[in-house]
Amino acid sequence: MASDEVLTDPFLALAELGGHLRRARAALPPLLRERAQASDDDDEQGPLSRVLDVAQAAVASLQGFAGLRRSFAGGAAIELARSANKVSVVLLGSPRPDDITAFIGELARSDQRLQDATALLGLLLGLCASWLTAGFAPPIVLKTLAERGPQILELGAALCSEAGGSD
Amino acid sequence: MSLKDAIKKFTDGIVDLSNLEVTTYTGKLEQLVDATTGQLKWDECKPSNGKLVLVAATLIRPNLNTVNFRAGDAEQSDLKALLELHTAAVESARNGRMALLKMFAGHLAPRIGAGD
């Protein structure tokens, strides 16, 4: 697939994001080893690995926003499914008003997580576009990851705290 | 479904910015529970299967004009909670679209600027 295509098609770019992050991870070790030998500091890979871990978790999290399905006592169930430009909700059986209220609360929390996830993914799309343009040159990947790392970790922490709060 | 497929399914809608459609259905458990296992047959839980009843529908047009439909025969006691759920789904659909637009806007803006 041509990198130009990925650069101009954001949907394709999003779908390819996981692959780009893996490629960036693979590009770093030789450069980091070189730097560690030169400076006796081998602590650079750990933080960058964490940044890439958070980025890959954000990509994987998008899958969880395709829908929400819950079952309740008595067998009742509610499912919300998103597909293309349609959202459908199906209630099976007779969920109690409290069950419906709980589902609505969970949906709101899921929406908040989606906001956090897309904020992070938007940042990663920009980052990956710059890597593609630079042909994944390790110095560029390293420099941009180091620059954006704190922001990625911050957005990732927000995403994780929301996920934890909904359990 | 692979992650790639899931992302495609989720983001396909943003390509078509024409309408945003939200529908809420109800169904009877016995019609969708597997008699052998007692488990819900979620795969059959589709509006097109003829076993579900439409309670409410909302169509949001690109200019944000909105068309609402509400079934008249739903029991009044259930209707309030059902409509609250439908309203929450409409809000969620809007939020989801806005989140995706915002995400892609950041990706496209520099390129649009560069193309000027």
Side-chain angles (χ1 to χ4, degrees), chain A:
Chain A
M1 176 184 314
S3 63
D4 283 357
E5 199 181 347
V6 174
L7 285 170
T8 52
D9 183 341
F11 312 103
L12 195 56
L14 185 63
E16 297 291 325
L17 207 47
H20 295 331
L21 290 168
R22 281 192 294 277
R23 198 171 160 192
R25 194 188 289 272
L28 289 176
L31 181 63
L32 290 174
R33 271 197 299 274
E34 213 174 279
R35 288 190 171 206
Q37 281 167 0
S39 67
D40 287 338
D41 177 12
D42 60 356
D43 200 26
E44 214 170 356
Q45 185 154 5
L48 290 177
S49 254
R50 274 198 296 283
V51 171
L52 287 167
D53 288 345
V54 167
Q56 280 178 317
V59 175
S61 77
L62 201 53
Q63 201 168 193
F65 297 111
L68 184 63
R69 180 190 289 176
R70 289 293 174 265
S71 297
F72 304 101
I78 304 176
E79 181 184 49
L80 178 141
R82 302 176 202 271
S83 181
N85 59 343
K86 292 181 181 173
V87 173
S88 67
V89 183
V90 175
L91 291 91
L92 292 176
S94 304
R96 294 172 305 146
D98 284 354
D99 296 335
I100 293 177
T101 303
F103 188 89
I104 291 172
E106 199 167 342
L107 186 59
R109 287 191 292 278
S110 170
D111 283 355
Q112 182 55 55
R113 286 199 301 280
L114 177 60
Q115 302 284 337
D116 292 336
T118 51
L120 179 46
L121 290 168
L123 174 64
L124 294 173
L125 282 171
L127 208 52
C128 286
S130 68
W131 296 342
L132 272 168
T133 306
F136 283 82
I140 300 292
V141 173
L142 184 62
K143 179 175 178 287
T144 50
L145 256 189
E147 282 169 359
R148 295 295 195 168
Q151 202 180 349
I152 291 171
L153 291 175
E154 189 183 335
L155 289 166
L159 187 58
C160 289
S161 76
E162 281 290 335
S166 70
D167 290 340

Side-chain angles (χ1 to χ4, degrees), chain A residues 1 6-11 13-16 56 59-63 65-66 69-71 74-80 82-94 97 100-101 103-104 107 111 114-115 117-119 121-122 125-126 129-130 133, chain B residues 1-4 6-16 18-29 32 40 42-43 45-47 52 77-78 81-82 84-86 88-93 95-100 102-104 106-108 111:
Chain A
M1 176 184 314
V6 174
L7 285 170
T8 52
D9 183 341
F11 312 103
L14 185 63
E16 297 291 325
Q56 280 178 317
V59 175
S61 77
L62 201 53
Q63 201 168 193
F65 297 111
R69 180 190 289 176
R70 289 293 174 265
S71 297
I78 304 176
E79 181 184 49
L80 178 141
R82 302 176 202 271
S83 181
N85 59 343
K86 292 181 181 173
V87 173
S88 67
V89 183
V90 175
L91 291 91
L92 292 176
S94 304
I100 293 177
T101 303
F103 188 89
I104 291 172
L107 186 59
D111 283 355
L114 177 60
Q115 302 284 337
T118 51
L121 290 168
L125 282 171
S130 68
T133 306
Chain B
M1 185 190 295
S2 71
L3 175 60
K4 230 169 160 175
I7 288 173
K8 185 173 184 317
K9 185 180 172 191
F10 186 60
T11 54
D12 265 355
I14 205 162
V15 178
D16 173 11
S18 52
N19 295 323
L20 186 56
E21 185 184 306
V22 183
T23 46
T24 298
Y25 294 84
T26 56
K28 291 183 177 167
L29 273 176
L32 290 156
L40 272 173
W42 283 107
D43 289 345
C45 194
K46 292 173 185 158
L52 300 173
S77 58
D78 295 338
L82 287 178
E84 279 174 5
L85 178 59
H86 181 75
V90 171
E91 188 64 25
S92 178
N95 288 341
R97 174 167 280 187
M98 288 312 295
L100 289 174
K102 211 168 149 189
M103 174 173 74
F104 288 131
H107 179 70
L108 288 174
R111 275 156 240 302

